[in-house]
Amino acid sequence: MSSVTADVDHGLAGRGALPTLFKSQERARIIEAFVTNKSRELNVSDIARLSDTSRSTVYEQLERLTEMGIVEEVDHGASTFYTLNEDDELGEMLYKLQGLTLHRLYEIDDDVEL
């Protein structure tokens, strides 16, 4: 086992990758804000509004999501925006997962409330 794999395994012991990714409802809502606005550049206020999350929580979560490569920072001089990293495999899979999940929920019950 490589040292990178050993470090990852040790860091996720007892939790797993998906519970770590979706660590909190806030992080899940922030990820959803990005996948439902896939090609848009969002500022922190946009993300907070779309995810019904405080700006301070958004800042905390953006640090982790950018470290993971799911979200990328787009610098526009004095303003910073963020977008789903469409070149990242995990970002693309999250986008597909959201669409597939919605499709399945509608198949099961077309009155489903999301």
Side-chain angles (χ1 to χ4, degrees):
M1 180 182 305
S2 75
S3 63
V4 171
T5 305
D7 291 343
V8 169
D9 289 345
H10 178 68
L12 298 176
R15 291 180 299 189
L18 291 178
T20 300
L21 176 60
F22 299 110
K23 181 178 179 177
S24 65
Q25 287 185 355
E26 291 86 0
R27 186 182 293 173
R29 288 195 308 259
I30 290 168
I31 291 170
E32 183 176 36
F34 282 107
V35 299
T36 57
N37 294 278
K38 181 179 179 185
S39 298
R40 286 187 54 205
E41 295 178 356
L42 305 171
N43 64 28
V44 171
S45 295
D46 294 331
I47 300 162
R49 181 179 43 79
L50 291 167
S51 64
D52 193 28
T53 306
S54 72
R55 288 172 46 94
S56 61
T57 300
V58 170
Y59 279 113
E60 291 170 14
Q61 296 301 327
L62 282 173
E63 183 176 343
R64 184 68 169 159
L65 294 172
T66 54
E67 285 175 358
M68 294 177 70
I70 297 168
V71 171
E72 61 185 340
E73 191 173 300
V74 181
D75 189 24
H76 288 291
S79 300
T80 302
F81 292 83
Y82 300 87
T83 188
L84 183 69
N85 185 353
E86 296 183 40
D87 295 327
D88 180 70
E89 184 178 18
L90 184 53
E92 186 61 28
M93 294 302 288
L94 288 166
Y95 176 74
K96 290 178 181 178
L97 177 63
Q98 193 242 12
L100 180 59
T101 302
L102 286 173
H103 179 75
R104 293 276 171 90
L105 289 171
Y106 284 125
E107 282 180 348
I108 294 169
D109 182 359
D110 59 359
D111 292 330
V112 70
E113 291 185 28
L114 301 175

